[in-house]
Amino acid sequence: MKVGFISLGCSKNLVVTEEMIGLFKKHNYEIVSDPEEAEILLINTCGFIESAKDEGIQTILEMADYKEYNCKYLIVTGCLVERYEEELRKEIPEVDLFISIKDYGQLWERIDNLINGSSIKDKLDYKNRILTTGDTMAYLKIAEGCSNYCTYCAIPYIQGKYISRKYEDILDEANTLAKKGIKELVVIAQDTTKYGLDLYGRDRLAELLNDLSKISEFKWIRFLYSYPETITDELIEVVKNNDKIVKYFDLPIQHISDAVLKKMNRKSDGNTIRNLINKLRREIPDVILRTTLIVGFPGETEDNFNELCEFVRESKFDRLGAFAYSVEDGTPAAKFNNQIEEDVKESRRKKIMEIQQEVSLENLRSKVGKKYECLIENITDDGEYFIGRSYMDVPSEDGVIYIKFNNDIMINEFVEVEIVDSDEYDLFGVVVDY
């Protein structure tokens, strides 16, 4: 039978979807990208924030329409099911099978029973994973869950406590990815900097990055979601001195006001964050810093928000995203007093992004005239430009570099590019001496 997949939400969820694809392929199902062709449709959902829930429900309803054509079975998995399975069963009877995260151990048994009436046991396995991110880049997930219990976040209640993967399994998967031709490895977890603490009693991220860099096929290794309070001197030294580890820190700080950070149950305060930013820029020339912020958290005053605005202007993050606080069922913050009106939250979000747009334009203008090694990934529809990325750009999340077309260049190739222009979020360049 032909199976189509839709993966919603974060890159961590995508890795699970890729393992699901591999499981179906192992059992001789044909994988298709067009839902009109699919006899089975599987949606791996996200349930992190309200907008993700809305997207998940809308996608399920859209895919349910294909049951009037070829689709015989509609299967829904993931975070949304973990949180709202009972409600989804009642509201969307078109779905033939819901599988929550806690039931992933029986995933294949339940799917096989639905489709074939038998109960063959099998499990998700990184060894069977089918990559969906192209020929050169892949994510490497090093842990599941989260134990931080930020008051706004439902992830610990959905995915459970933080559980590090075994060190040897991670290296084994990395070697498998290298043999598939992967050149850029993106290391991910809900909190990468806590890797190893639960399993080995100590942080092993720096050690892991060093060992990953010994795999000759990898050219770039980057890691995402590193919480400020757990960034160690050892980790900074690895990023500083290891040529394969890209000079890039993703710091999800969420706010800068001590009062707001405390209510969020964050472990850093404003001074810790500011000091870390200064230290990273002092220790690692040309380091790229990225962050995410939440505005409109319950009780956020005008003074708190103004402090955040000034911080965004002063800190000059290379990449920054701002989100309006979303009330999430079952989280402590959902019960806090002084909830803020939606229009105020959205107004604050827009203001932060307007400030960041100016910051980003200034930052990118400073790149003009400089040269960077770039990975060519695509070409524009009009054929005038290649689309590439440098170490400064996380795939699918940051900006890109538009590179004037050159007949001698191929997709998935690394080339040296001189930056000749910029706009608010992207760079423009030409290939140097090719």
Side-chain angles (χ1 to χ4, degrees), residues 324-379:
Y325 166 72
S326 174
V327 178
E328 296 305 316
D329 296 338
T331 61
K335 299 177 182 178
F336 285 177
N337 296 325
N338 301 317
Q339 298 284 335
I340 294 174
E341 296 292 333
E342 293 298 326
D343 60 337
V344 175
K345 289 191 285 189
E346 182 58 22
S347 174
R348 291 180 179 180
R349 187 196 68 81
K350 287 182 178 178
K351 184 173 181 179
I352 289 290
M353 293 313 299
E354 287 169 359
I355 296 170
Q356 178 59 23
Q357 189 175 56
E358 296 175 3
V359 170
S360 180
L361 180 60
E362 179 184 345
N363 285 342
L364 292 183
R365 280 176 176 168
S366 72
K367 313 299 181 189
V368 174
K370 296 182 179 181
K371 298 175 183 178
Y372 299 96
E373 188 173 32
C374 294
L375 171 62
I376 305 298
E377 293 189 306
N378 211 331
I379 189 169

Side-chain angles (χ1 to χ4, degrees), residues 46-50 52-53 79 83 152-155 158 190 328:
C46 172
F48 179 40
I49 57 177
E50 191 65 32
K53 288 185 278 187
C79 295
R83 295 189 75 185
Y152 54 82
C153 183
I155 287 176
I158 299 172
Q190 191 60 36
E328 296 305 316

Side-chain angles (χ1 to χ4, degrees), residues 6-20 43-49 51-53 55-56 77-80 101 104 129 132-133 137-146 153-155 158-159 186-192 224-225 227 250 290 292 323 394-397:
I6 296 175
S7 188
L8 303 175
C10 66
S11 53
K12 297 177 287 295
N13 212 36
L14 178 61
V15 172
V16 177
T17 303
E18 291 175 338
E19 291 179 355
M20 291 177 179
I43 307 165
N44 193 16
T45 62
C46 172
F48 179 40
I49 57 177
S51 59
K53 288 185 278 187
E55 180 188 26
T77 67
C79 295
L80 194 65
I101 293 172
Y104 278 177
R129 178 181 166 197
T132 63
T133 49
M137 189 279 289
Y139 295 105
L140 180 65
K141 186 164 60 171
I142 62 174
E144 302 283 356
C146 184
C153 183
I155 287 176
I158 299 172
Q159 298 185 350
V186 183
V187 176
I188 56 172
Q190 191 60 36
D191 182 354
T192 55
L224 303 180
Y225 318 119
Y227 282 52
D250 174 26
R290 167 187 173 193
T292 51
F323 301 88
V394 170
S396 302
E397 297 194 31

Side-chain angles (χ1 to χ4, degrees), residues 384-403:
E384 290 191 19
Y385 294 93
F386 284 107
I387 301 173
R389 292 185 295 108
S390 72
Y391 82 95
M392 301 181 289
D393 310 304
V394 170
S396 302
E397 297 194 31
D398 292 338
V400 297
I401 302 175
Y402 292 100
I403 303 158

Side-chain angles (χ1 to χ4, degrees), residues 110 122 135 150 157-158 164 263 270 277 282 361 369 399 410 419:
R110 294 183 62 186
D122 208 337
D135 297 328
C150 302
Y157 310 104
I158 299 172
S164 299
K263 289 187 70 176
I277 291 169
R282 183 175 65 250
L361 180 60
M410 298 180 65
I419 305 304

Side-chain angles (χ1 to χ4, degrees), residues 15 18 24 52 70 72 82 95 149 192-193 195 217 258 306 329 337 380 384-385 399:
V15 172
E18 291 175 338
F24 272 90
N70 284 334
K72 297 179 176 64
E82 185 68 37
V95 176
Y149 290 95
T192 55
T193 37
Y195 173 72
E217 291 89 344
D258 287 346
N306 289 335
D329 296 338
N337 296 325
T380 56
E384 290 191 19
Y385 294 93

